[in-house]
């Protein structure tokens, strides 16, 4: 069955906001907890497989020193598509309807440098990345086909990025590369956050992944938009 691989959700924006110690209007955080909702879509650019759906997750960041941070995240999404070509999954018939359960977790750490002549932080992060996904409730032309086995894809992620240190808001972004057991490719993140109350920020983030299957030409692009609140303590 053709893989649907979502590689995404909590990503380099976590290290920017948690580890890079953004100077907000109210605080310089030592730790933060982020809770958010997510919408994702995928596209394999070949066979018409392009599921999308909602979910959510949590991020936790901890600044151990002014220049060293650690963090982790977990995210779950349930994607669906009702008109994918059955041939893309190696099945007969015309169209397949299915759901895609995607779990993803990350944990890592890195270093941040505060530029003395500009309101910017520069950071780098290395993390362990794990994805667990499964195709469920599949049916071809209305005939039930069941669910697939769960597939794990894990490895390392490497990221570098910038975050502004301006009063009242923060913009951050990063570029990275995921080197996983079954796929690899670049990852890009962009985020913006505003203070809502003391020790509380609202944020919106976007992640884009462009991953190729190891040893194959299959390619999966994914877009992930997340919005939520970030609590500092």
């Amino acid at each position: 069955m053709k893989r649907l691989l979502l590689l995404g959700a909590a990503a380099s924006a976590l290290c920017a906001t948690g580890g890079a110690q953004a100077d907000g209007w109210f605080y310089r955080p030592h730790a933060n907890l982020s809770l958010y909702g997510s919408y994702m879509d995928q596209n394999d650019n070949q066979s018409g497989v392009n599921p999308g759906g909602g979910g959510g997750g949590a991020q936790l960041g901890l600044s151990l020193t002014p220049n060293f941070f650690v963090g982790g995240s977990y995210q779950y999404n349930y994607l669906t598509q009702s008109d994918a070509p059955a041939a893309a999954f190696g099945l007969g018939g015309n169209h397949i309807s299915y759901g895609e359960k995607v779990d993803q977790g990350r944990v890592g750490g890195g270093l941040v440098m505060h530029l003395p002549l500009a309101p910017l932080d520069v950071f780098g992060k290395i993390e362990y990345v794990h994805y667990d996904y499964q195709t469920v409730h599949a049916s071809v032309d209305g005939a039930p086909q069941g669910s697939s086995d769960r597939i794990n894809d894990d490895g390392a992620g490497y990221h570098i990025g910038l975050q502004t240190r301006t009063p009242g808001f923060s913009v951050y972004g990063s570029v990275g590369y995921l080197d996983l057991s079954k796929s690899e490719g670049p990852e890009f993140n962009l985020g913006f956050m505003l203070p809502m109350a003391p020790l509380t920020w609202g944020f919106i983030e976007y992640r884009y992944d462009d991953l190729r299957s190891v040893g194959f030409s299959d390619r999966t692009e994914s877009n992930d938009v997340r919005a939520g609140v970030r609590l500092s303590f």
Side-chain angles (χ1 to χ4, degrees):
M1 179 175 291
K2 186 175 181 61
R3 301 183 331 132
L4 296 176
L5 178 60
L6 172 65
L7 288 175
S12 300
L14 169 61
C15 72
T17 57
Q21 293 190 352
D23 277 331
W25 186 259
F26 300 109
Y27 66 98
R28 173 181 291 273
H30 296 288
N32 67 66
L33 173 65
S34 302
L35 304 173
Y36 61 89
S38 165
Y39 180 83
M40 300 180 173
D41 63 65
Q42 298 176 328
N43 192 337
D44 71 356
N45 293 296
Q46 296 179 16
S47 61
V49 175
N50 53 4
Q59 303 170 342
L60 179 64
L62 176 63
S63 298
L64 300 178
T65 74
N67 299 104
F68 177 67
F69 60 88
V70 294
S73 64
Y74 171 78
Q75 183 170 323
Y76 172 82
N77 284 82
Y78 185 75
L79 314 181
T80 62
Q81 187 176 1
S82 59
D83 59 352
F89 291 79
L91 301 174
N94 295 316
H95 296 97
I96 182 172
S97 299
Y98 64 95
E100 186 77 9
K101 298 167 69 173
V102 182
D103 295 89
Q104 54 179 295
R106 303 188 181 203
V107 61
L111 297 173
V112 59
M113 179 177 65
H114 311 291
L115 300 184
L117 300 180
L120 290 174
D121 292 338
V122 180
F123 64 87
K125 182 175 75 167
I126 299 176
E127 60 185 356
Y128 169 74
V129 181
H130 177 83
Y131 293 93
D132 182 325
Y133 57 97
Q134 181 184 27
T135 300
V136 297
H137 310 308
S139 63
V140 175
D141 299 331
Q145 302 294 314
S147 301
S148 71
D149 294 333
R150 302 189 72 90
I151 299 177
N152 295 316
D153 191 18
D154 60 356
Y158 310 92
H159 310 272
I160 58 173
L162 295 170
Q163 177 168 349
T164 63
R165 291 185 285 112
T166 53
F169 71 94
S170 181
V171 178
Y172 48 92
S174 67
V175 297
Y177 193 85
L178 300 183
D179 185 9
L180 309 180
S181 57
K182 296 180 174 64
S183 61
E184 60 183 1
E187 179 174 271
F188 304 91
N189 292 272
L190 182 64
F192 175 81
M193 62 180 185
L194 279 171
M196 301 173 61
L199 306 181
T200 304
W201 293 68
F203 71 92
I204 184 169
E205 298 174 350
Y206 170 73
R207 172 188 289 161
Y208 170 78
D209 294 293
D210 185 1
L211 300 163
R212 295 184 181 275
S213 301
V214 175
F216 300 92
S217 61
D218 294 353
R219 174 187 174 193
T220 300
E221 293 179 289
S222 67
N223 299 281
D224 181 9
V225 178
R226 303 187 294 271
V229 295
R230 182 163 290 128
L231 309 174
S232 176
F233 50 92

